[in-house]
Amino acid sequence: MNKYAIIDIGGKQLRVEQGRFHDARDFAPIQQMVACNTKISINRVLLIRHGSNINFGYPWLDNAAVKGRVLHGCFKKKMVIQRISSRNKTRRILGYRESMSRFIVDSISFGREKLDKR
C-alpha cells in the first residue's frame, strides 16, 4: 500500500500498484495493434510514493516509468439511457458500453532504481 504511482492514461489519472491489474480507456492511439501480452511502458508518471518518500512531477516526473503488459480488452458496465417524450407518448432506450483495456503493472521505476515489491 505504501508503494504506488499515479499515472496519466486515457485522459484520466489512475493510481497503480505493482502486481495488480487496472482498466484504462483509449489505451493506445491504434487500438487494433495492442494485443494480449504486449509489453508497455508508460512515461506520464505524475507521482511516485515509495515508503515515506514522495516524488512529484511538474507536470510529469523525468526518468520515471511504469512497465507492464496488456492482458486483454474488456468492456465497462452497460450504461442505459432512456429518452421519454410525454407529448408524443414515446420511449426510446439506448445502451452504451465503453471499451477498455486491462493491463497489469510489472514494475515501477524512478531514475535507475527499480522500486520492487517487498
Side-chain angles (χ1 to χ4, degrees):
M1 171 123 178
N2 48 357
K3 297 174 193 164
Y4 64 87
I6 296 178
I7 60 174
D8 181 18
I9 186 167
K12 295 186 179 181
Q13 294 176 2
L14 187 66
R15 180 182 179 216
V16 295
E17 294 179 20
Q18 186 176 351
R20 297 189 67 188
F21 63 87
H22 304 278
D23 296 332
R25 68 179 184 93
D26 298 333
F27 191 70
I30 305 168
Q31 187 72 20
Q32 292 83 16
M33 294 186 71
V34 177
C36 296
N37 286 332
T38 303
K39 294 192 178 195
I40 55 168
S41 177
I42 302 162
N43 296 328
R44 293 181 138 196
V45 181
L46 301 168
L47 177 138
I48 290 180
R49 180 179 177 202
H50 180 65
S52 62
N53 297 332
I54 298 175
N55 298 315
F56 291 100
Y58 185 76
W60 300 299
L61 283 168
D62 294 331
N63 300 326
V66 174
K67 295 183 181 181
R69 62 187 188 278
V70 176
L71 294 177
H72 56 81
C74 58
F75 290 102
K76 262 186 149 178
K77 289 183 79 174
K78 191 171 203 177
M79 188 166 50
V80 177
I81 303 162
Q82 288 187 349
R83 292 185 181 177
I84 301 171
S85 177
S86 61
R87 290 186 178 183
N88 298 336
K89 296 183 182 176
T90 58
R91 291 183 183 190
R92 187 173 179 193
I93 298 174
L94 300 171
Y96 176 73
R97 289 181 67 170
E98 192 170 15
S99 61
M100 309 284 278
S101 294
R102 181 164 282 181
F103 68 98
I104 189 165
V105 176
D106 291 331
S107 67
I108 299 171
S109 60
F110 180 62
R112 294 183 182 244
E113 66 181 62
K114 199 180 247 188
L115 306 176
D116 57 349
K117 188 176 181 181
R118 290 186 185 170

